[in-house]
Amino acid sequence: MPLNEFAFQRCLSADCGATYGADEVLIACKQCGELLDVDYEWDRAQPPSRLQDLEKYWAERHHPLNFSGVWRFRDLLPYVSDDEIVTVGEGQTLLQQANAVASYVGLDPGNLYLQYEGMNPSGSFKDNGMSAAFTHAHTIGAQRAACASTGNTSASLAMYCSVTRAMRGIIFIGSGKISYGKLSQALDYGALTVQIAGDFDDAMVRVREVCKELGIYLVNSVNPFRLEGQKTIMFRVLEALRWEIPDWIVVPGGNLGNSSSFGKAFMELKQLGLIDRVPRLAVINAAGADTLSQLVERRDLRWNDSQTDEEKIAAYYQELDDLHKKADTIASAIEINRPVNLKKCLRALAVCDGVVRQVSDQEILDAKAQVGAGGIGCEPASGASVAGAKLLRQQGVIGASDRVVCILTGHVLKDPTATVAYHSTDQKLFNDVLGSRGVKTASFANRAIAVDNDLGEIIQAIQLYG
Ligand code: F0G
């Protein structure tokens, strides 16, 4: 059996609770239309009895599954037999203590950690989930896989398709809504790229219709297997902290797959008795794409044991439609107004005593510049986590001595336009790219110095500024 018998899919709604085999290709419950979880009969699955037991895999890192930062945790996402797993060595990421950024955020030295998911093979956290969904697609014999994307999911899907040659990748993107770094990956890796006249939310609706109509495997995070892979980001954070639980996990929120998977990871670890407490979760929206923040912070929407107030959600979306309001932020990765994992994220907030905030594009870019100045760098959406931590610190929600992990979801080279515009001396470029989004200053810009092609002048400039 390629898929383990003790793994199954379960409807998120406690009222419905319908279950399906792991071999079914579903993106919603057939009874009630709600999202699905992958679940396990844990007594049959034989999970580890201590998290430290997972370290046994380190001794065999020459084995591709143990080398993978996703699959060395396969005992905690045990839906598939080892010989079916598709891996390209994803999840070799880094948890870095970042003291300069800690000081910017207002935390005591040593208390801020950055989880660099941009170090994945396609440059974003998406590879964690894509490896898991792609593996499922492979086991059920899919020939084609598709996604709608703000750019990183599509880069990841295109990469898995081209490395493995196992499937044709089809990606749907909104026109003019994708950064060049990400678009170049999809094109270079040979994915069929469909640019839709609309934004991500429009593309998401269409890709679901097309997948249904043409029987194409959908790898967006409505696919519950995607989120199984993304749980491992949290496992690696705990592993890097020697299995200690931080006080806070701070993550940008777009389609809300990450936050949902983090909540599921901690829910299961607690249920299995592998941890004794869960960290708090902060999900950070961009102010121009703030559905979660509007619904949770302003309208008190809650998980409520899966009895979520659907009318509140419907009324909010109706308002967006009436106002013709589209998502708009420099953090194009999270430029999403209709997050497909909304309900699962509400559950994660309930499990992790979570909070939601929104930050402006100015705050995002300033935080991003701080991350870049302190080390490896990130794309704008990732800056939202650091900006959000700073805001929560200012509000006194996060304490100076709390241990905080900010997730940096994508690599700095994903969106060079935003970075160059921020640091540029070219006022027109700044205005075109950032000014139009309400960004007024670049307080942490590191500007290039223009000099004549003259040795004396060059030396003088270096002595002056170097
Ligand atoms: N950060 C980056 C760099 C992303 O690419 C995304 C999502 C997010 C954060 C938000 O994560 O959806 O789990 O809340 N990008 C998707 C894409 C939507 O199509 O690449 P989320």
Side-chain angles (χ1 to χ4, degrees):
M1 267 298 275
L3 289 158
N4 291 329
E5 276 172 21
F6 50 76
F8 60 99
Q9 302 182 72
R10 183 204 294 278
C11 176
L12 191 68
S13 156
D15 279 349
C16 172
T19 58
Y20 306 94
D23 56 342
E24 287 204 53
V25 180
L26 297 168
I27 51 167
C29 176
K30 288 194 275 190
Q31 313 269 336
C32 71
E34 190 49 89
L35 293 166
L36 296 167
D37 273 326
V38 178
D39 207 345
Y40 307 95
E41 293 172 42
W42 284 109
D43 45 345
R44 291 178 64 198
Q46 295 181 319
S49 50
R50 299 174 324 144
L51 284 171
Q52 285 85 340
D53 292 350
L54 294 163
E55 293 171 10
K56 68 175 187 249
Y57 292 120
W58 295 351
E60 290 178 30
R61 282 174 65 79
H62 57 273
H63 189 304
L65 298 189
N66 298 338
F67 178 75
S68 164
V70 170
W71 298 107
R72 72 169 179 269
F73 297 103
R74 57 195 178 279
D75 295 353
L76 294 169
L77 49 148
Y79 57 86
V80 66
S81 62
D82 284 5
D83 46 2
E84 294 290 327
I85 290 173
V86 181
T87 175
V88 303
E90 56 288 311
Q92 303 302 317
T93 60
L94 184 71
L95 185 77
Q96 190 192 56
Q97 210 171 32
N99 283 340
V101 184
S103 141
Y104 175 71
V105 167
L107 287 166
D108 292 344
N111 281 1
L112 183 82
Y113 294 82
L114 300 174
Q115 173 70 9
Y116 279 98
E117 286 300 312
M119 294 173 74
N120 271 291
S122 82
S124 86
F125 75 92
K126 299 288 178 180
D127 298 345
N128 294 286
M130 197 56 69
S131 178
F134 205 85
T135 290
H136 184 250
H138 167 69
T139 59
I140 58 99
Q143 300 294 312
R144 293 184 294 183
C147 67
S149 185
T150 56
N152 280 328
T153 307
S154 49
S156 185
L157 172 62
M159 181 190 73
Y160 277 89
C161 289
S162 62
V163 172
T164 62
R165 305 269 153 200
M167 257 168 263
R168 175 79 163 135
I170 304 166
I171 68 166
F172 286 57
I173 54 176
S175 55
K177 293 284 188 182
I178 180 169
S179 69
Y180 266 23
K182 302 173 190 181
L183 181 58
S184 57
Q185 288 181 287
L187 299 175
D188 224 26
Y189 304 159
L192 175 61
T193 305
V194 185
Q195 235 168 336
I196 294 177
D199 63 6
F200 172 83
D201 294 316
D202 300 318
M204 191 67 233
V205 172
R206 291 298 180 205
V207 76
R208 290 170 107 140
E209 291 169 350
V210 169
C211 284
K212 195 165 172 212
E213 186 94 10
L214 300 180
I216 299 173
Y217 189 95
L218 182 65
V219 295
N220 276 103
S221 53
V222 280
N223 178 324
F225 292 92
R226 263 276 305 275
L227 300 192
E228 289 304 284
Q230 285 172 220
K231 291 190 310 194
T232 65
I233 301 170
M234 289 301 102
F235 302 154
R236 292 199 298 276
V237 165
L238 297 189
E239 178 185 55
L241 294 174
R242 305 301 307 169
W243 310 112
E244 284 177 18
I245 311 294
D247 297 305
W248 287 91
I249 302 288
V250 190
V251 64
N255 229 358
L256 305 178
N258 253 347
S259 44
S260 298
S261 68
F262 298 174
K264 185 170 189 280
F266 289 117
M267 189 171 78
E268 290 173 347
L269 292 180
K270 190 89 202 307
Q271 182 194 333
L272 292 170
L274 293 169
I275 55 174
D276 50 16
R277 69 179 181 98
V278 295
R280 295 191 69 187
L281 179 68
V283 185
I284 314 298
N285 276 161
D290 62 344
T291 292
L292 184 71
S293 142
Q294 289 291 340
L295 287 171
V296 172
E297 299 292 307
R298 307 258 160 87
R299 302 180 189 210
D300 273 333
L301 185 72
R302 293 291 178 270
W303 165 240
N304 199 20
D305 280 329
S306 91
Q307 313 272 330
T308 308
D309 187 342
E310 300 281 351
E311 281 174 20
K312 251 184 211 171
I313 303 172
Y316 180 72
Y317 287 155
Q318 189 58 52
E319 270 177 44
L320 289 182
D321 286 345
D322 293 346
L323 297 167
H324 302 290
K325 201 171 159 198
K326 293 284 184 187
D328 183 20
T329 166
I330 190 71
S332 58
I334 51 174
E335 197 177 53
I336 297 171
N337 262 351
R338 287 174 149 75
V340 297
N341 288 300
L342 177 62
K343 292 257 195 80
K344 282 189 179 175
C345 177
L346 294 173
R347 179 178 66 183
L349 293 169
V351 168
C352 299
D353 188 16
V355 297
V356 182
R357 292 290 185 273
Q358 54 170 283
V359 289
S360 67
D361 283 4
Q362 177 77 61
E363 292 166 310
I364 285 175
L365 290 177
D366 287 342
K368 172 184 160 341
Q370 288 287 321
V371 172
I376 302 163
C378 64
E379 66 167 287
S382 313
S385 60
V386 172
K390 184 176 169 61
L391 175 65
L392 287 162
R393 181 66 203 95
Q394 277 162 359
Q395 294 174 339
V397 180
I398 292 182
S401 59
D402 286 353
R403 217 174 184 199
V404 179
V405 176
C406 291
I407 312 299
L408 300 182
T409 45
H411 199 282
V412 65
L413 295 177
K414 286 283 191 172
D415 188 355
T417 315
T419 307
V420 172
Y422 186 87
H423 292 290
S424 177
T425 46
D426 178 345
Q427 199 58 40
K428 182 172 178 330
L429 179 67
F430 182 90
N431 287 341
D432 288 353
V433 179
L434 307 178
S436 57
R437 291 213 151 87
V439 179
K440 295 206 165 55
T441 56
S443 308
F444 307 109
N446 173 34
R447 303 200 198 290
I449 326 159
V451 282
D452 282 342
N453 184 9
D454 175 277
L455 183 61
E457 272 205 38
I458 295 170
I459 288 175
Q460 203 183 6
I462 292 173
Q463 278 171 340
L464 192 61
Y465 297 106

